[in-house]
Amino acid sequence: MRTVGFIGLGIMGAPMAVNLVRAGYDVVGYNRSRSKVDDFVANGGRGAPTVGEAVHGADVVITMLPDSPDVRAVSADIAAAASEGTLFIDCSTIRPDVAREVDEACAASGIRVLDAPVSGGEKGAIDGTLSIMVGGREADFADAKPVFEAMGKTIVHVGPPGAGQTVKAANQLMVAGNIQLVAEALVFLEAHGVHTGSAIEVLGGGMAGSKVLEAKAGPMTSRQFTPGFRAELHHKDLGIVQSAAREAGVTIPLGAVVSQLMSSLVAQGHGTLDHSALLKLVEQLSGRE
Ligand code: NAD
């Protein structure tokens, strides 16, 4: 397992692929926009002009693409170009049912599939400290473990095909709710004229402390909404959460509210901002823009 084909060199994929290079893997990257491939080559990787050429001869293929239709389309190209026994790890966040569909379609070509979405944001991808939630077969997970260890720190096999995506949906529900409450708390504190830096420091040491508070409260206070994680991608994920909850007959009232707020953020033309731009809506609703 030394040669990796890596498809999707965006905010997350690029640093993940670079960490694989640093761990000694021979990584061949492909991205739809060529400039991302050039950047990857400048960082020690090899570049390919097509999915097929990135995948040809690879022991492992990793995808880090935006959404379910992207993974569905690229997985067909992977199945056509990869050799039997190749391990295909999809790290994108997509619908659990599409993950199961991709697994079944690839199995017909003898390709082993793991759904392995990640959490930890751009910083986790750069630092190689991602949480990786893996669905698929136990033996394939064991084979992939060293590859995961080059990109992440908390790596857990959570169940059969699609289970990784189900856990990731729960992750996105919790993160969105947490960001919304941090946004409300910050606008509330500002309205009271409290020094937000001091408030964030003390809140971080108690029960209100969280990874979201740690990573996002500072930039939110200074209205820095450069992604990070684009609101339009979180909007996609909350759609996944809502339909998966409905499928299971589970009610997620706060999830539904935050999903509508994220939808409004995107509808107002802020989809390319970081998801922490939910703060803009709290200001708007409070008449404090
Ligand atoms: P991104 O848009 O920065 O990266 C996606 C990359 O895929 C882009 O470079 C795009 O050009 C490329 N691409 C799209 N379609 C392609 C195709 N058919 N063939 C080749 N390349 C193609 O997005 P991102 O933030 O890196 O997120 C990627 C995935 O990871 C998403 O599913 C997202 O939900 C998830 N995710 C993102 C974060 C984050 O903090 N950004 C964290 C965890 C998970």
Side-chain angles (χ1 to χ4, degrees), residues 50-58 61 75-84 86 111:
T50 61
V51 172
E53 286 184 51
V55 167
H56 184 73
V61 176
S75 68
D77 294 342
I78 292 171
S83 347
E84 210 178 317
T86 301
I111 296 178

Side-chain angles (χ1 to χ4, degrees), residues 7-16 30-33 36 51 63-71 73-74 77 91-94 117-123 125 130 168 171-172 216 227-230 232-234 236-237 274-275:
I7 321 291
L9 301 165
I11 289 177
M12 296 294 285
M16 289 163 71
Y30 169 74
N31 193 83
R32 204 166 42 187
S33 39
K36 304 259 173 73
V51 172
T63 45
M64 194 50 166
L65 298 165
D67 201 354
S68 302
D70 308 304
V71 174
V74 169
D77 294 342
C91 290
S92 329
T93 303
I94 64 166
V118 307
S119 180
E122 186 184 15
K123 184 171 182 338
L130 293 167
K168 175 67 185 183
N171 182 85
Q172 293 308 80
K216 302 286 180 186
F229 186 55
R230 295 197 303 279
E232 63 195 6
L233 288 177
H234 211 149
K236 169 227 10 163
D237 295 347
D274 190 70
H275 50 170

Side-chain angles (χ1 to χ4, degrees), residues 198-216:
S198 310
I200 291 165
E201 184 186 345
V202 71
L203 290 170
M207 195 66 115
S210 69
K211 288 268 167 57
V212 165
L213 189 75
E214 227 172 80
K216 302 286 180 186

Side-chain angles (χ1 to χ4, degrees), residues 24 37 65 74 104 109 126 139 146 154 163 195 210 219 225:
V37 179
L65 298 165
V74 169
E104 279 166 29
S109 310
I126 293 168
T154 309
H195 183 255
S210 69
F225 299 126

Side-chain angles (χ1 to χ4, degrees), residues 81-128:
S83 347
E84 210 178 317
T86 301
L87 197 51
F88 166 25
I89 304 171
D90 177 36
C91 290
S92 329
T93 303
I94 64 166
R95 286 176 13 212
D97 60 309
V98 175
R100 287 190 290 271
E101 174 195 312
V102 165
D103 173 66
E104 279 166 29
C106 287
S109 310
I111 296 178
R112 305 179 289 149
V113 180
L114 293 169
D115 53 296
V118 307
S119 180
E122 186 184 15
K123 184 171 182 338
I126 293 168
D127 296 344

